[in-house]
Amino acid sequence: MASAVRSSPTLRDTADSAHPAERPPAASDDTPGHRFDDEDYPAYSMGRAAEMLGVTPAFLRTLGAAKLIEPQRSEGGHRRYSRYQLRLAARARELVDQGTALEAACRIIILEDQLAEALRINAELQQSRDQRPQNAGRRSA
């Protein structure tokens, strides 16, 4: 299966990216509190992430091995997960609980993420097209 791994997901920033976990890192900001809203900030340890999702740490490691998500590592080498990665893991658990094979679940999640990105880009393009003046595309005779 094609890799969906990256350390800091930002698919919404990369329209051509084939995988949800392959997004360029978000810009660094030292403003206090800026990370509260940063869904790409690796704020959760493996134990906390597993607890929040109701899965075992082994399940999260399996998602890494399946190339769906790759957590960042702390200076001590511990896995750290972002909210975005936890959403992917939660969706994987949902699909696996419904009887979907893990590899198929990962592919479904990748395709869902690509579709969401394409729809977002399409809406942005439509909005910018609708905001252009009516005569901008016409040449005068």
Side-chain angles (χ1 to χ4, degrees):
M1 181 164 99
S3 172
V5 176
R6 67 160 234 131
S7 343
S8 181
T10 52
L11 178 64
R12 286 169 301 286
D13 297 336
T14 309
D16 297 332
S17 179
H19 307 292
E22 293 178 353
R23 297 177 358 190
S28 169
D29 185 354
D30 293 334
T31 308
H34 81 281
R35 293 181 175 144
F36 290 130
D37 295 327
D38 185 357
E39 70 174 12
D40 296 324
Y41 180 70
Y44 304 98
S45 67
M46 176 180 274
R48 181 68 179 129
E51 179 184 323
M52 290 170 63
L53 295 171
V55 300
T56 63
F59 180 78
L60 293 174
R61 285 190 296 271
T62 301
L63 294 179
K67 307 290 187 208
L68 180 64
I69 59 176
E70 183 177 306
Q72 288 189 13
R73 298 284 181 147
S74 68
E75 289 182 21
H78 299 283
R79 290 174 176 89
R80 304 289 296 181
Y81 295 89
S82 68
R83 289 186 312 190
Y84 176 77
Q85 290 171 324
L86 294 184
R87 278 198 307 279
L88 294 178
R91 179 67 176 133
R93 178 182 181 201
E94 178 184 324
L95 290 169
V96 168
D97 287 350
Q98 293 172 358
T100 306
L102 183 65
E103 188 170 314
C106 292
R107 185 65 183 143
I108 288 168
I109 293 165
I110 289 166
L111 292 170
E112 287 174 343
D113 208 56
Q114 287 175 331
L115 176 60
E117 174 66 4
L119 291 172
R120 183 194 65 77
I121 291 169
N122 190 35
E124 284 179 3
L125 292 172
Q126 182 69 36
Q127 182 180 10
S128 69
R129 189 190 75 151
D130 291 346
Q131 291 176 352
R132 282 189 288 182
Q134 293 296 335
N135 297 334
R138 297 181 188 169
R139 293 184 177 177
S140 56

